[in-house]
Amino acid sequence: MATIYLQTFIKKETPVVFDLARDIDLHQKSTGKTNEKAIAGRTSGLIEENETVTWRAKHLGVYQTLTTKIISMNKPYQFTDMMLKGAFKSMKHQHIFKEKNGGTLMTDIFEFESPLGIIGKLFNHFFLKDYMRKFLLDRNALIKRIAEST
């Protein structure tokens, strides 16, 4: 299993950052390169615990769908989503928010496993982990920009 660990400091109160991180509409804006759209389940607004969303996006030249569910939420400090259906063998994304120095430290712990055994592990190592890291960094940059501009 591959793990991506990111921390982003945002000069804004934790409840604001928490809500931006779970905003379906904002997520779609952050994924312009992949044309990601919410097509089923919660398709706009703030996703809540036990809700699902199905995304359709073009990754690596192929349109794919991914259905995730918010499996835990402790407002405004954490929420976790987990893949129910999609191209990964498994995927779990923890979003953690801590008040720090008058702002919020947003932490992402993104764990995923590709199918296809050793071939999937090699693909993760040589390509997919960096691809997913960039995807998350782009999303976090937009959250930061919006949070700090309001």
Side-chain angles (χ1 to χ4, degrees), residues 65-84:
T65 59
L66 173 76
T67 301
T68 61
K69 180 178 182 177
I70 303 298
I71 60 169
S72 72
M73 183 177 288
N74 178 17
K75 294 179 184 178
Y77 302 108
Q78 76 82 23
F79 69 95
T80 301
D81 55 281
M82 177 182 271
M83 183 190 80
L84 299 178

Side-chain angles (χ1 to χ4, degrees), residues 131-150:
Y131 178 85
M132 293 306 301
R133 177 184 298 279
K134 173 78 169 96
F135 184 82
L136 294 171
L137 285 170
D138 287 347
R139 175 185 163 275
N140 291 357
L142 182 60
I143 291 170
K144 180 178 176 74
R145 190 167 58 251
I146 289 174
E148 292 180 350
S149 70
T150 58

Side-chain angles (χ1 to χ4, degrees), residues 9-24:
F9 180 75
I10 301 173
K11 297 175 194 169
K12 197 66 170 183
E13 302 85 16
T14 299
V16 172
V17 177
F18 179 84
D19 284 348
L20 288 171
R22 63 191 183 102
D23 187 318
I24 301 283

